[in-house]
């Protein structure tokens, strides 16, 4: 894709101190985190810019080693993956088993016009994913699949709105034993809803099931609309469930919410979505995260949305190659598939910037290299510390390369980059789009002193 072919539609705020929402250059929804091999992989839906309905055509994947710098892996799964699907790429979840990754998603079946659940499979957490069956795995018109593998190896698929269903998946993760079973929605199990005789309990949609210390948790979106997040617990994976209360009260300028909970590097994290970006709302949502600690009795505390997000879990190493699309906060940029593989950052104009949080320079960096391309006359990558207008520790000129996917590597000296700092790549130049950037890397060396 040419960098001038799309005008960014998500306007970025000028302040870059916040780290929630996690992604700023596209709208994201319905988070489903998965911990694998030292990283958190985050599977999300994708709300279209300016949408006035749940107009969703594909899913996105992101990953992080520190909960604040998130790498954009693009869209390895879309409606087009399922030849039988016509619309509605809504909330799903992925799981790993036997070295393969299974992503369960609800879509509209073209043949029946009903919502059905498909399953896609890949050999990598970032795809590419392919339709595992060529048909729905299960179809009863309901949505929001959640998948859970118990300690004994038995896998379960849960889903439903307005009901709540489960089925036991076979070891192949693409077939099931028996028939779907409806979980009784009792007020003891799922709380009491008032004002709607057709929905006597708080359960609405978006189940998220997991096990901790022998106790089974079912976290869900409650009482539309606007939704809050509630949860129930049980001694077994199919119940009986006991309602435990609120996880996240109604808040956040989106009338839906969607939970995802994982443990990572010794801490627990709650993912959700809201409408916090400019232009955000109930149909243009954004995923965010909070760190939390369980109470001593295993109950979940009440969690409130913040714009600061979770603390960084570790630091980022600038002396290994870092993808430019690994970002804590981006202003004015977009991403696209790169001809060299992976994704690159593009649609860069004068004054746009990227924030990379907690970069561990240590004793100091001596130079900086970046893989860049430009179909115009290029620009400059300014390396700044602390803020978009912070101390300049290096400037790398980027020439015109003759094309937005015609890549070259530029280098420049660095002075004054020591310790652990928030790094800002600020882009400057003339009018229009300046450059694309694919990756960057610092070289360690004696920290130079800037000339007076």
């Amino acid at each position: 894709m040419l960098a001038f072919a799309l005008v960014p539609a998500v306007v970025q705020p000028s302040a870059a101190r916040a780290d929630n929402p996690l992604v700023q250059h596209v709208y994201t929804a319905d988070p489903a985190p998965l911990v694998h091999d030292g990283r958190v992989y985050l599977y999300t839906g994708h709300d279209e810019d300016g949408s006035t309905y749940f107009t969703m055509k594909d899913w996105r994947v992101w990953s992080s080693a520190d909960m604040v710098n998130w790498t954009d892996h693009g869209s390895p799964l879309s409606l087009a993956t399922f030849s039988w699907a016509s619309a509605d790429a809504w909330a799903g979840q992925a799981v790993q088993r036997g070295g393969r990754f299974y992503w369960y998603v609800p879509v509209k079946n073209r043949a029946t016009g009903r919502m059905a659940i498909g399953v896609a499979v890949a050999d990598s957490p970032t795809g590419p994913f392919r339709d595992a069956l060529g048909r729905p795995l299960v179809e009863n018109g309901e949505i929001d699949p959640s998948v859970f593998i118990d300690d004994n190896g038995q896998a379960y698929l849960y889903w439903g709105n307005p009901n709540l269903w489960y089925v036991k998946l076979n070891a192949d993760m693409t077939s099931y034993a028996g028939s779907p079973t409806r979980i009784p929605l009792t007020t003891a199990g799922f709380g009491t809803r008032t004002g709607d005789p057709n929905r006597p309990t708080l359960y609405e949609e978006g189940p998220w099931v997991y096990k901790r210390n022998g106790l089974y948790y079912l976290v869900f979106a409650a009482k539309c609309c606007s939704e809050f997040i509630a949860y129930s617990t049980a001694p077994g994976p199919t119940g009986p469930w006991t309602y435990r209360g609120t996880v996240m009260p109604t808040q956040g300028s989106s009338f839906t919410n969607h939970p995802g909970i994982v443990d990572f590097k010794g801490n627990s994290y709650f993912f959700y979505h809201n409408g916090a970006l400019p232009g955000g709302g109930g149909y243009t949502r954004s995923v965010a995260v909070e760190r939390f600690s369980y109470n001593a009795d295993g109950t979940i505390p009440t969690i409130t949305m913040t714009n600061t997000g979770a603390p960084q879990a570790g630091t980022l190493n600038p002396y290994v190659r870092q993808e430019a699309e690994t970002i804590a906060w981006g202003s004015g940029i977009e991403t696209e598939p790169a001809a060299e593989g992976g994704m690159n950052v593009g649609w860069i104009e004068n004054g746009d910037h990227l924030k990379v949080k907690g970069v561990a320079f240590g004793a100091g960096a001596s130079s900086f290299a970046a893989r860049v391309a430009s179909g115009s006359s290029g620009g400059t990558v300014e390396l700044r510390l602390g803020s978009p207008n912070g101390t300049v520790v290096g400037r790398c000129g980027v020439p015109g390369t003759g094309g937005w996917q015609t890549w070259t590597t530029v280098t420049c000296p660095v002075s004054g980059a020591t310790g652990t700092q928030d790094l800002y790549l600020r882009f400057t130049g003339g009018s229009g789009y300046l450059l694309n950037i694919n990756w960057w890397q610092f070289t360690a060396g004696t920290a130079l002193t800037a000339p007076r």
Side-chain angles (χ1 to χ4, degrees):
M1 186 184 297
L2 297 179
F4 54 77
L6 176 66
V7 176
V10 180
V11 179
Q12 307 301 333
S14 58
R17 293 185 297 274
D19 294 310
N20 266 339
L22 302 181
V23 176
Q24 304 84 41
H25 58 278
V26 298
Y27 294 115
T28 54
D30 303 323
L34 168 67
V35 176
H36 174 71
D37 197 23
R39 295 184 72 83
V40 175
Y41 290 86
L42 183 62
Y43 300 82
T44 74
H46 172 206
D47 287 338
E48 296 292 320
D49 293 345
S51 181
T52 56
Y53 181 64
F54 300 112
T55 307
M56 306 171 77
K57 303 174 183 177
D58 61 3
W59 296 267
R60 303 285 295 242
V61 181
W62 323 83
S63 74
S64 179
D66 60 14
M67 300 303 292
V68 295
N69 297 300
W70 290 89
T71 302
D72 184 346
H73 297 287
S75 175
L77 183 66
S78 71
L79 289 174
T81 306
F82 302 99
S83 62
W84 49 271
S86 62
D88 299 340
W90 290 355
Q93 185 184 351
V95 70
Q96 184 271 337
R97 185 166 198 167
R100 306 181 87 185
F101 297 83
Y102 299 88
W103 198 347
Y104 302 84
V105 293
V107 293
K108 184 171 287 185
N109 186 341
R110 179 181 289 107
T112 65
R114 295 196 307 172
M115 292 303 292
I117 293 170
V119 56
V121 64
D123 296 321
S124 159
T126 58
F129 284 83
R130 63 187 183 278
D131 186 355
L133 294 175
R135 56 176 171 78
L137 170 64
V138 65
E139 178 178 346
N140 63 6
E142 300 195 39
I143 60 173
D144 291 0
S146 178
V147 60
F148 163 70
I149 303 175
D150 208 347
D151 299 337
N152 63 3
Q154 178 63 60
Y156 297 83
L157 186 72
Y158 304 80
W159 75 100
N161 177 348
N163 301 295
L164 177 58
W165 302 82
Y166 79 89
V167 72
K168 289 185 177 182
L169 294 173
N170 294 326
D172 62 10
M173 303 299 285
T174 59
S175 63
Y176 56 85
S179 300
T181 299
R182 190 162 68 179
I183 295 173
L185 291 177
T186 65
T187 55
F190 296 93
T192 301
R193 183 188 312 217
T194 58
D196 186 349
N198 297 316
R199 302 289 289 259
T201 78
L202 292 172
Y203 176 81
E204 184 72 26
E205 60 186 351
W208 181 270
V209 181
Y210 65 100
K211 184 180 183 180
R212 178 181 182 271
N213 294 340
L215 187 64
Y216 296 80
Y217 291 73
L218 197 161
V219 188
F220 56 92
K223 194 183 181 299
C224 188
C225 287
S226 294
E227 293 175 344
F228 67 98
I229 303 299
Y231 79 112
S232 304
T233 62
T238 63
W241 298 98
T242 300
Y243 182 64
R244 297 299 184 187
T246 297
V247 176
M248 177 171 277
T250 300
Q251 56 192 290
S253 65
S254 166
F255 60 84
T256 67
N257 203 345
H258 192 98
I261 293 180
V262 290
D263 287 346
F264 180 63
K265 294 187 175 180
N267 289 293
S268 299
Y269 296 91
F270 177 77
F271 291 81
Y272 59 96
H273 68 226
N274 59 25
L277 284 184
Y283 302 116
T284 44
R285 299 160 293 180
S286 294
V287 169
V289 67
E290 308 295 342
R291 192 177 76 180
F292 75 97
S293 297
Y294 290 88
N295 297 319
D297 61 359
T299 55
I300 302 174
T302 302
I303 301 169
T304 300
M305 299 181 185
T306 73
N307 64 5
T308 53
Q312 187 169 6
T315 56
L316 185 137
N317 181 2
Y319 303 119
V320 299
R321 171 174 157 167
Q322 296 288 348
E323 296 301 313
E325 64 273 14
T326 299
I327 303 167
W329 195 272
S331 178
I333 59 90
E334 295 278 348
T335 61
E336 65 182 343
E340 297 183 326
M343 304 287 283
N344 66 257
V345 175
W347 292 274
I348 294 170
E349 297 177 280
N350 181 56
D352 292 347
H353 68 263
L354 303 176
K355 172 188 176 182
V356 187
K357 191 171 183 178
V359 178
F361 291 106
S366 60
S367 65
F368 173 83
R371 189 71 167 167
V372 294
S374 176
S376 63
S377 58
T380 300
V381 181
E382 296 181 347
L383 309 175
R384 293 177 176 264
L385 302 180
S387 78
N389 300 309
T391 302
V392 177
V393 295
R395 286 188 173 92
C396 261
V398 176
T401 64
W404 297 107
Q405 293 293 322
T406 303
W407 296 96
T408 189
T409 303
V410 296
T411 61
C412 55
V414 172
S415 62
T418 61
T420 298
Q421 308 265 5
D422 290 348
L423 170 69
Y424 288 77
L425 276 59
R426 186 171 185 269
F427 307 102
T428 60
S431 61
Y433 295 118
L434 304 178
L435 59 100
N436 289 352
I437 180 168
N438 192 1
W439 54 259
W440 56 264
Q441 183 173 347
F442 285 82
T443 299
T446 302
L448 302 175
T449 301
R452 293 183 181 274

